[in-house]
Amino acid sequence: MMTKYFTHSHAIVETENVGENTRIWAFAHILPRAVVGSNCNINDHTFIENDVILGDNVTVKSGVYIWDGVRIKDNVFIGPNVTFTNDLRPRSKQYPSAFLNTILDEWSSIGANATIIAGITIGKYAMVGAGSLVTKNIPNNTLWYGNPARFRGYICNCGEKLTNDLICPSCERQYSLEEGVIVE
């Protein structure tokens, strides 16, 4: 059977659920029940557990381990060495009946070495800075960084930080706040 995606000879891909044009590089390990969308790029030294779903066009940089319960939607960027958790009170050889779901919504970006605590949602187009510790939900089109990560501003869909007037200095899109939520 001919696959429609690329797997490096030193990768272990146990799942049959990999979309077309995805690239899986050396020393990546993907377990049997994981789902990986089309046109993804899974870099070296990554691990993807069974109860994980990756959408289309997802980039997972080197050194990322994605545990059961993580849901990653389309067009998400995960920087090198991002850490996910899936159990708020872990003990050796004691497992919860179900792991908490962590959701990365469409077009969100997670900077290198960020830690994402279990059970949170990162909204559409949101951006998490490198080295951040994310302990709570992050709304759409917002920029968060620090330890713990705190709100630092609003982000355009194109990725630029908005001005105080909620205008993108790059693509000139204009946003407004409606009941505390940013809208275009």
Side-chain angles (χ1 to χ4, degrees):
M1 182 172 115
M2 186 163 164
T3 60
K4 295 182 180 181
Y5 60 90
F6 169 79
T7 302
H8 190 280
S9 62
H10 293 300
I12 301 170
V13 180
E14 298 180 72
T15 185
E16 294 180 13
N17 297 312
V18 177
E20 291 184 21
N21 299 317
T22 287
R23 292 161 309 284
I24 303 167
W25 296 99
F27 312 112
H29 187 173
I30 304 174
L31 294 186
R33 293 191 321 271
V35 176
V36 178
S38 297
N39 199 40
C40 293
N41 192 26
I42 311 299
N43 283 217
D44 293 7
H45 299 281
T46 58
F47 178 76
I48 300 175
E49 211 165 19
N50 278 303
D51 184 24
V52 172
I53 300 172
L54 272 68
D56 298 333
N57 304 309
V58 172
T59 298
V60 180
K61 297 307 250 179
S62 298
V64 176
Y65 303 146
I66 306 174
W67 306 113
D68 286 340
V70 178
R71 307 291 185 257
I72 299 169
K73 298 196 179 174
D74 296 347
N75 303 299
V76 170
F77 174 86
I78 302 170
N81 300 304
V82 166
T83 298
F84 291 95
T85 69
N86 66 354
D87 188 345
L88 295 177
R89 293 169 193 83
R91 294 281 191 212
S92 181
K93 305 298 179 190
Q94 295 178 17
Y95 306 104
S97 57
F99 288 104
L100 295 170
N101 283 341
T102 299
I103 299 167
L104 277 62
D105 214 336
E106 298 171 5
W107 292 101
S108 58
S109 294
I110 313 299
N113 294 305
T115 298
I116 312 299
I117 299 300
I120 61 111
T121 297
I122 297 175
K124 291 180 182 180
Y125 298 99
M127 189 171 289
V128 173
S132 296
L133 172 61
V134 179
T135 60
K136 57 186 167 185
N137 293 338
I138 294 181
N140 297 350
N141 293 85
T142 57
L143 170 65
W144 292 62
Y145 56 88
N147 183 356
R150 293 189 310 262
F151 172 76
R152 307 297 180 145
Y154 293 100
I155 294 288
C156 181
N157 292 357
C158 78
E160 290 294 322
K161 187 175 179 185
L162 299 178
T163 66
N164 291 336
D165 295 329
L166 302 178
I167 298 170
C168 178
S170 179
C171 72
E172 299 179 358
R173 276 191 180 117
Q174 188 162 7
Y175 295 82
S176 61
L177 284 176
E178 293 181 11
E179 298 180 18
V181 176
I182 191 165
V183 293
E184 188 174 359

